Amino acid sequence: LTDCAEPQTMQRPTPDPFASLALPTLADYGGLTRRSSSSVTGTYAHSEYLLAYSDLPASLFSGLTLQGTVNLGRGIYIIDGGTLKINANAVLSGTGVSFYLINGAKLDVAGGAVLNISAYSAANPALRTDPFSPFLFFSDRAGTTVAHSISGNSASHTNGIIYFPEDKLTYIGDSGSSYPCLQILAATLTVSGNGTVNIGCLPDRSPGTPQMRANLRVALVE
């Protein structure tokens, strides 16, 4: 808080530290079995791998609803259109988990959902060695702007980066919400609610991942 004691307005846009990162394309995920409007409960284990990343388990969905108690297997969950809906009664757990939203897919996390999920494990760096391992939720850079929504829960613990470079994100913090290792990059970010949201600490992520740096400027120095 000594560096930023209060929110700063009218600042320059933050440079995208992932602008040069090539996100997965149809050539990478087109061979996956498409699951239509799936609803997942219990334990989920991937059965396929993302092409060009043979060590990265992956699944492709046309919309996905998570409800009840769900244990997510390591890997990338690709949502191609539709909505990634995490219901209010959902309790999610998993390490090495990433959700990739493409072709207008929307994220909708209901209030009351408990998210105990991490994109990467510092205790086991070999768990995810792909370039997408820092991302918890991320979207493509194509198409029209999508509006995503996350409602916080005080029992949640998340670790990773939310990366929506061309989209809007509304983040509603519940009273006492604690997201100690969370970074958010979005075209537009709205934070509301009656609680406290902690954003900006270094998450347990892949070595070499660039940091987000705000309020950079160019100056002439004599």
Side-chain angles (χ1 to χ4, degrees):
L1 289 180
T2 58
D3 294 332
C4 185
E6 60 185 14
Q8 303 296 309
T9 62
M10 305 299 293
Q11 300 298 299
R12 295 172 175 81
T14 298
D16 183 353
F18 303 101
S20 62
L21 175 64
L23 300 178
T25 66
L26 182 62
D28 299 313
Y29 62 78
L32 298 175
T33 301
R34 181 179 295 273
R35 295 162 171 81
S36 300
S37 301
S38 298
S39 179
V40 170
T41 58
T43 299
Y44 185 88
H46 298 279
S47 60
E48 299 176 291
Y49 289 82
L50 194 67
L51 191 66
Y53 301 95
S54 59
D55 62 341
L56 179 58
S59 294
L60 177 63
F61 300 90
S62 296
L64 175 63
T65 299
L66 300 175
Q67 57 189 1
T69 300
V70 183
N71 299 311
L72 299 170
R74 173 186 74 94
I76 186 169
Y77 297 76
I78 303 172
I79 317 301
D80 187 359
T83 300
L84 171 56
K85 174 69 174 180
I86 302 178
N87 284 346
N89 68 334
V91 180
L92 271 61
S93 62
T95 303
V97 172
S98 295
F99 294 93
Y100 180 40
L101 286 72
I102 58 176
N103 292 329
K106 180 177 72 172
L107 173 64
D108 183 5
V109 181
V114 178
L115 310 181
N116 294 320
I117 50 178
S118 177
Y120 183 76
S121 173
N124 181 15
L127 183 69
R128 289 279 300 273
T129 58
D130 60 277
F132 318 113
S133 62
F135 299 127
L136 196 59
F137 299 101
F138 67 116
S139 66
D140 58 9
R141 306 185 184 99
T144 58
T145 298
V146 179
H148 308 282
S149 176
I150 299 177
S151 294
N153 185 296
S154 59
S156 293
H157 296 280
T158 59
N159 173 46
I161 296 171
I162 297 176
Y163 179 64
F164 294 143
E166 303 297 331
D167 295 341
K168 300 177 181 179
L169 173 62
T170 297
Y171 199 99
I172 305 171
D174 192 8
S175 179
S177 293
S178 177
Y179 296 83
C181 287
L182 180 68
Q183 289 185 317
I184 298 176
L185 194 154
T188 302
L189 173 61
T190 301
V191 179
S192 62
N194 61 353
T196 299
V197 178
N198 298 318
I199 300 173
C201 83
L202 296 177
D204 296 333
R205 58 188 179 178
S206 301
T209 300
Q211 296 186 31
M212 301 179 194
R213 300 187 182 277
N215 199 24
L216 296 180
R217 65 187 66 192
V218 176
L220 295 176
V221 179
E222 293 184 356

